[in-house]
């Protein structure tokens, strides 16, 4: 940057975020002046915004490698890939949630506003080229999510969950910020590219980097919900309205992958040997804890919360090697996992109706008799989450395992597979309920509009198709790093 | 070859539909697939006999380097033939046995999946695919055993089988990965060609892990309890699981790996001793059983023990015996199970003591049962006799543990002779007894299998050269690692094995004669049930639930402060560790220089923080918080940051107003924690505070020379025409971040609005 | 003075963590306020302290006279103070609402989780 003149930022490069920001304001205004009790205009505008965002991201950012706003914003394939994932996941989340939110009287304009802001925060996070914009993105995302968790006014469980999420999240954000200020204190720059260069050179001040690193790792691990920074996960998953849980479980995980990659995976790659053991520790703890607890859960949301740890362990394992292949494996894993889980929550939402949550595992009993299509969707989702060969979940696990074995952590791979096999018990239990058990009484019927059902079915079948033809997605993920 | 394995899965998908449309003929039509497979595998026999093992490779996902390779040699062919051949009869048999059953379509679907998975296990050349198929057999057999899922017992035993075998599978997986590391490949034919497996550093660990997998699968002591319980399955399933599949998978793997990792003392002792004990336990428990299927289930345990023991002994003689015994057992066990099912199906009871005099009513069943039972008992001229002679020969020649194995083998043989007699004679001889259903001969679909299989036992016995050249020979070559020249025939001359056989038969018949008394003795031995390994399993399961509950209490107890404590302590631990590793215990203290006004303000801030923490008055807390905030504002001003000072003062004022407004709507302070909790929290808090202090000192000791902000200062006036550099940075150079900041604040406002509006709406209601 | 500031910040952190670990919901709020103050001071201090040289450019000059305090961390802290306030306002309302819905200010009583 020395002796360069100040350059005017190229706004076009950041078009996806600008579009989303502008549209969020439009949604806000339109909703204010609309009398529709179901907030229809806000819903449709939001979905158009997200779809438009996908198109813009694909056309302006894929295959590009450029920075703008003095290096604050990075437009590249990795960011584009993660953003597309986030946008699609948010689209699914909104598509699944309308009936549910309306039935509970919490379908407000703010729901769409906060949701869009959360998405914007995630997009900023994954495109950040600078510590400050990274932090702003994370804060934007987190604050929106805290508010979303608390959106159900009558639920004491939700209020309590929101409070815990907020207080713990504030502490974690604080840690992230301290870590960043340490880095600034040592290098005198906020630019991630320059920090990477400094990290490679500074030998005598290396240990100061490490302190910053530890604090940032804590913050990132919290956003992932990695053990031992995981305690908010079950309470928040269970307490939040299911559509919000969906958002936290899917899109925010993808954003967390972006956060890790920008900040540590790429930003502090020269310090690989220093953070590798921390990631291994987090991965091991995540793989070990939660699985046994998930075995005895009877609430689907709690079960998914505890089983998340195992998947988070896998995602972290992809980071361990510090290679492009490993990172690509993590991205592939996070994306496929998020889409599978999104559809799972979709099924829970499909079966829910006014005054009834359908989040108990026995609610799935005899689903095959009521709706063969969605019983089949559950079957696909669960075998994919288990990682049975031929499903997309298997390829995700395989890519991750391959990268850690190549990095020399065979024992970690063994541990991970054992965890995955344990997972088979609670995932396949749901399949058993769907197909082999009779419903107790009537059993919840699939409700929801035709559009909802069509999107959900497509989501489920896409998981199946991705399992049969994984090549394209694998290639895309690899291309984002090479 | 790939299609041969996968066709089962394909048919499984179609089976429910086919079953419904074909109605009564479903069994016969569906059996065409396994029959076709049998013929196909048969066509491979000449190839393997002439050219040895074949490796067939198919690329699967080239991008991920996964390919499907299959190993076709004598061993895998022997198993594949048994699976498809016996499978054919089982499918036909199930059509009769489960005739008109509501879930018959589903049964066929699972059955074909299971068969395909089993073929996958024995034909896989890649360790990973082998393991995947291995686990698939566990899962599908779980569904088969729990087929009568309305019955609680059925589900319970199915789950038991699943947990034991999948648990063992985990150990197996670890073992297989070590094997792949030791052999430098995941392909079996390459691993087995490696000479260094036995010198691998973790050889013992690897073998123990693999054996944990095979022992649980093949029901070796002390994991044998799940197998007899798996009788809860419908009879066609038991017949298939016990004769050629599932439980033999463990035996298959041990035989498969024998040329690579066998032949050591560990291998000999582990397999020889546990196998022999299993053999004895199986026959001992068989003798006390009165259920038709229970007897057969325990003789299966006996057979599995025998096979394991023979593989462990590992001499040429033992390998020949093992493969012969394997074939003989599959033939008679499948036949006997199907006959037991037929008896149960036609009379309505499985209890041997309640059956009698059926020879007139069910003559074909009677004769077939006699032939198959003779093979079980090991009498000439059946194939089972050859197998038993070979086994005695092998135990007599066994290195190191010859006496032990021979004694147990003879004792087991005696009991098995007795039970073979009980099974084949008690239900048919004597006076006719009252049964729940009026008995008559079973239908053709249920008899064709037993008749053909029992017939084969006889044919193979009389013409031993047939199996010797086509089936047992190539299998022995695969297990031993090199072809052996041998022949199978009934008459070996008068030698020690023959004498042992005679002894077994005579003693066995005596035991049969006195069987009712034997049962009475057993009934007094209740300790068997109380202290068996099954109790251990139940305790383990209880323990798992307890562990989950304990873990939840520990980690997920809902107390937010525990969550906070964990986060803080982990951070302190990680940072502290890094700190002391890199700097030792000494903190780099800078020179302490200060101005008086600075130290006074700093002191006030600290004092304010302390008072705010310990005061019991809300107003006092707010006031001291204000003191802290304004003090900090002054510090900003002292250190050249007037903008920060003004901002801090404004924000602090707003904060105090906000607190006064809201705080007094909340209840007054209470001292809820105990003194011990307060002390603990104080220690934690101080440790974090101390750590932060140390870190700042460490950072301050570092001189940073080149800051990017120097450029910003230089640009400030010429480029942005601003004299307050901080402001220029905020609104020009870092405008994007400021925009983000505005949005964060705006977002907080929306959140606040959402919650306050809800309150207003509440009031309106 | 850096050294003294280090101890000052440590004390603020300790006080805030201690307050956040209390069971009373009001003390939690106070802990959060102290935490944000401590964080801001931390950023300010680790970037280096300078006395009496504010980053202001006098009339007629292109650079501040006689050196200047690093302006970038000041901008950063300014952002942090404002965000901190927004978050605090949000937190106060959220906690207040949690209290209203649950009608309990003992955090130990807020534990609807696995049983």
């Amino acid at each position: 940057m020395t002796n360069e003149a100040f350059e005017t930022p190229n706004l076009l490069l950041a078009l996806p975020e600008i579009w989303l920001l502008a549209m969020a304001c439009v949604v806000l205004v339109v909703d204010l002046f609309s009398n529709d009790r179901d907030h229809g205009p806000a819903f449709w505008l939001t979905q158009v915004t997200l779809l438009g965002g996908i198109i813009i991201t694909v056309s302006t950012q894929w295959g590009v490698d450029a920075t703008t706003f003095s290096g604050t914003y990075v437009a590249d394939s990795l960011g584009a890939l993660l953003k597309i994932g986030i946008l699609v996941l948010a689209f699914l989340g909104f598509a699944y949630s309308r009936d549910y939110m309306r039935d509970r009287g919490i379908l407000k304009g703010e729901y769409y506003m906060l949701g869009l802001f959360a998405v914007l925060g995630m997009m900023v996070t994954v495109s950040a080229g600078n510590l400050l914009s990274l932090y702003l993105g994370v804060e934007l995302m987190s604050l929106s999510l805290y508010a979303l968790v608390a959106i159900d006014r009558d639920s004491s469980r939700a209020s309590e969950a929101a409070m815990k999420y907020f207080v713990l999240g504030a502490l974690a954000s604080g840690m992230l910020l301290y870590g960043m200020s340490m880095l600034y204190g040592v290098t005198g720059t906020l630019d991630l590219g320059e920090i990477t260069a400094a990290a490679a050179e500074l030998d005598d001040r290396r240990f100061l980097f490490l302190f910053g690193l530890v604090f940032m790792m804590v913050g990132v691990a919290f956003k992932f919900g990695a053990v031992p920074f995981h305690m908010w996960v079950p309470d928040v998953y269970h307490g939040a309205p299911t559509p919000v849980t969906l958002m936290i479980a899917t899109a925010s995980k993808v954003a967390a992958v972006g956060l890790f990659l920008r900040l540590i995976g790429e930003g502090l790659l020269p310090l690989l040997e220093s953070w590798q053991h921390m990631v291994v520790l987090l991965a091991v703890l995540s793989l070990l804890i939660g699985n046994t607890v998930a075995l005895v859960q009877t609430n689907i949301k709690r079960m998914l919360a505890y089983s998340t740890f195992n998947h988070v362990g896998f995602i972290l394992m992809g980071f361990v090697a510090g290679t492009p292949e490993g990172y690509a494996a993590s991205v592939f894993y996070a994306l496929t996992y998020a889409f599978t889980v999104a559809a799972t929550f979709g099924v829970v939402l499909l079966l829910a109706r006014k005054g009834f949550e359908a989040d108990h595992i026995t609610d799935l009993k005899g689903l095959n008799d009521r709706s063969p299509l969605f019983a089949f969707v559950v079957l696909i989702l669960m075998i994919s989450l288990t990682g049975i060969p031929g499903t997309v979940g298997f390829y995700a696990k395989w890519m991750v395992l391959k990268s850690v074995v190549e990095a020399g952590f065979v024992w970690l791979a063994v541990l991970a597979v054992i965890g995955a096999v344990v997972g088979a018990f609670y995932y396949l239990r749901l399949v058993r309920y769907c197909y082999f058990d009779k419903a107790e009484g009537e059993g919840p019927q699939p409700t929801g509009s035709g559009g909802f059902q069509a999107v959900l079915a497509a989501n489920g079948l896409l998981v199946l198709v991705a399992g049969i033809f994984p090549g394209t997605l694998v290639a895309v993920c690899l291309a984002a790093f090479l | 070859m790939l299609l041969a394995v996968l066709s089962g899965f394909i048919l499984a998908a179609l089976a429910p539909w086919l079953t419904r449309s074909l109605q009564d003929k479903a069994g016969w039509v569906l059996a065409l697939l396994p029959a076709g497979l049998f013929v196909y595998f048969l066509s491979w026999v000449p190839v393997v006999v002439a050219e040895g093992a074949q490796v067939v490779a198919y690329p699967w996902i080239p991008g991920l380097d996964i390919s499907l390779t299959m190993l076709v040699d004598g061993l895998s062919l022997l198993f594949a033939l048994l699976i498809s051949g016996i499978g054919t009869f089982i499918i036909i048999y199930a059509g009769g046995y489960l005739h008109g059953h509501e879930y018959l379509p589903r049964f066929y679907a699972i059955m074909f999946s299971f068969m395909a998975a089993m073929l996958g296990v024995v034909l896989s050349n890649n360790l990973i695919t082998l393991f995947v198929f291995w686990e698939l057999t566990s899962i599908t057999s779980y569904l088969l055993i729990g087929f009568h899922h309305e019955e609680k017992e059925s589900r319970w035993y199915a789950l038991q089988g699943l947990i034991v075998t999948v648990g063992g599978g985990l150990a197996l997986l670890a073992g297989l990965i070590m094997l792949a590391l030791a052999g430098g490949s995941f392909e079996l034919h390459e691993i087995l060609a490696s000479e260094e497996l036995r010198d691998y550093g973790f050889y013992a660990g690897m073998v123990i892990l693999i054996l944990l997998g095979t022992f649980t699968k093949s029901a070796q002591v002390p994991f044998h309890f799940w197998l007899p319980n798996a009788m809860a399955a419908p009879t066609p399933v038991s017949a298939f699981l016990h004769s050629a599949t599932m439980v033999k998978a463990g035996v298959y793997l041990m035989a498969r790996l024998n040329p690579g990792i066998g032949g050591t003392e560990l291998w000999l002792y582990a397999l020889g001793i546990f196998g022999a004990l299993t053999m004895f336990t199986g026959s001992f428990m068989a003798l006390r059983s009165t259920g038709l299927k229970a007897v057969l289930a325990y003789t299966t345990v006996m057979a599995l023990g025998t096979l394991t023991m023979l593989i462990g002994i590992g001499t040429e003689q033992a390998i020949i015996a093992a493969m012969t015994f394997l074939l003989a057992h599959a033939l008679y066990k499948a036949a006997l199970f199907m006959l037991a099912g037929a008896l149960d199906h036609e009379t309505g009871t499985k209890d041997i003591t309640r059956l009698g005099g059926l020879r007139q009513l069910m003559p074909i069943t009677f004769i077939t049962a006699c032939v198959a039972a003779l093979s079980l008992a090991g009498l000439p001229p059946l194939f089972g006799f050859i197998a038993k002679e070979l086994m005695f020969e092998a135990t007599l020649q066994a290195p190191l543990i010859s006496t032990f194995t021979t004694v147990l083998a003879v004792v087991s043989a005696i009991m098995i002779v007795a039970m073979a007699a009980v099974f084949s004679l008690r239900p048919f001889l004597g006076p006719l007894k009252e049964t729940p259903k009026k008995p008559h001969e079973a239908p053709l679909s249920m008899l064709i299998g037993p008749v053909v299989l029992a017939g084969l036992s006889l044919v193979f016995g009389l013409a031993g050269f047939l199996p010797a050249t086509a089936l047992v020979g190539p299998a022995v070559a695969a297990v031993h690692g090199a072809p052996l020249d041998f022949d199978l025939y009934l008459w070996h001359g008068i030698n020690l094995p023959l004498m042992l056989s005679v002894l077994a038969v005579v003693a066995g018949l005596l035991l049969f004669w006195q069987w009712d008394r034997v049962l009475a003795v057993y009934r007094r031995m209740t300790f068997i049930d109380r202290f068996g390994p099954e109790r251990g399993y139940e305790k383990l399961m209880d323990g798992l639930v307890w562990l989950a509950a304990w873990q939840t209490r520990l980690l997920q107890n809902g107390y937010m402060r525990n969550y906070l404590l964990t986060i803080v302590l982990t951070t302190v631990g990680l940072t502290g560790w890094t700190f002391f590793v890199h700097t030792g215990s000494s903190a780099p203290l800078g020179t302490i220089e200060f101005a008086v006004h600075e130290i006074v303000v700093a002191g006030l801030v600290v004092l304010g923080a302390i008072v705010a923490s310990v005061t019991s008055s809300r107003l006092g807390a707010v006031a001291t918080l204000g003191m802290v905030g304004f003090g900090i504002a002054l510090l900003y001003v002292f250190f050249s940051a007037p903008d920060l000072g003004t901002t801090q003062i404004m924000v602090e004022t707003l904060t105090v107003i906000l607190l006064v407004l809201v705080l007094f709507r909340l209840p007054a302070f209470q001292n809820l924690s105990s003194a011990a909790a307060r002390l603990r929290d104080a220690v934690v808090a101080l440790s974090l505070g101390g750590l932060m202090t140390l870190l700042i000192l460490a950072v301050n000791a570092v001189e940073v020379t080149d800051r990017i902000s120097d450029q910003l200062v230089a640009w400030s006036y010429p480029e942005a025409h601003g004299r307050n550099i901080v402001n220029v940075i905020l609104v020009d150079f870092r405008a994007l971040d400021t925009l983000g900041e505005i949005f964060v604040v705006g977002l907080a406002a929306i959140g606040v609005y959402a919650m306050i509006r809800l309150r207003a709406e509440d009031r309106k209601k | 003075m850096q050294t003294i500031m280090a101890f000052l910040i440590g004390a603020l952190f300790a006080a805030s963590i201690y307050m956040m670990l209390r069971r009373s919901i009001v003390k939690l709020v106070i802990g959060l306020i102290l935490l944000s103050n401590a964080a801001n001071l931390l950023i300010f201090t680790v970037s280096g302290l300078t006395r009496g040289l504010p980053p202001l450019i006098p009339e007629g000059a292109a650079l501040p006279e006689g050196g200047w305090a690093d302006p970038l961390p000041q901008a950063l802290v300014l952002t942090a103070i404002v965000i901190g306030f927004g978050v605090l306002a949000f937190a106060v309302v959220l906690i207040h609402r949690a209290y209203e819905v649950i009608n309990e200010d003992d955090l130990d009583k807020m534990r609807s989780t696995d049983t």
Side-chain angles (χ1 to χ4, degrees), chain B residues 370-439:
Chain B
C370 285
V371 175
L374 280 178
S375 193
L376 166 67
L379 287 176
L382 277 300
F383 195 48
F385 173 71
I386 302 181
K388 182 170 288 187
E389 293 290 284
L390 286 169
M391 176 190 71
F392 282 143
E393 217 167 299
T395 56
L396 286 169
Q397 296 174 2
L400 301 167
I401 52 174
S402 155
T403 323
F404 176 71
T405 50
T406 309
V407 170
L408 284 183
V410 173
V411 174
S412 302
I414 294 170
M415 296 192 273
I416 291 301
V417 168
M419 284 325 286
V422 167
F423 184 90
S424 58
L425 301 179
R426 288 283 288 226
F428 301 101
L429 300 181
L432 189 63
K433 287 188 186 170
E434 195 70 20
T435 51
K437 275 166 84 176
K438 193 163 160 34

Side-chain angles (χ1 to χ4, degrees), chain A residues 119-134:
Chain A
V119 170
L120 184 63
M122 295 174 197
M123 291 169 71
V124 171
T125 307
V126 301
S127 266
N130 177 291
L131 291 181
L132 192 56
S133 43
L134 197 71

Side-chain angles (χ1 to χ4, degrees), chain A residues 278-323:
Chain A
M278 285 191 239
V279 178
V280 168
L281 179 75
L282 290 171
V284 168
L285 288 174
S286 300
L287 290 169
L288 288 178
I289 305 215
N291 248 336
T292 48
V293 185
L295 277 177
V296 296
Q297 292 302 317
T298 52
N299 180 293
I300 298 177
K301 283 159 84 179
R302 284 202 97 85
M303 188 200 91
L304 286 172
Y306 284 110
S307 69
T308 292
F309 304 143
N310 196 1
H311 296 284
V312 166
F314 266 95
I315 295 174
L316 290 172
M317 276 164 59
F319 297 145
V320 165
T323 57

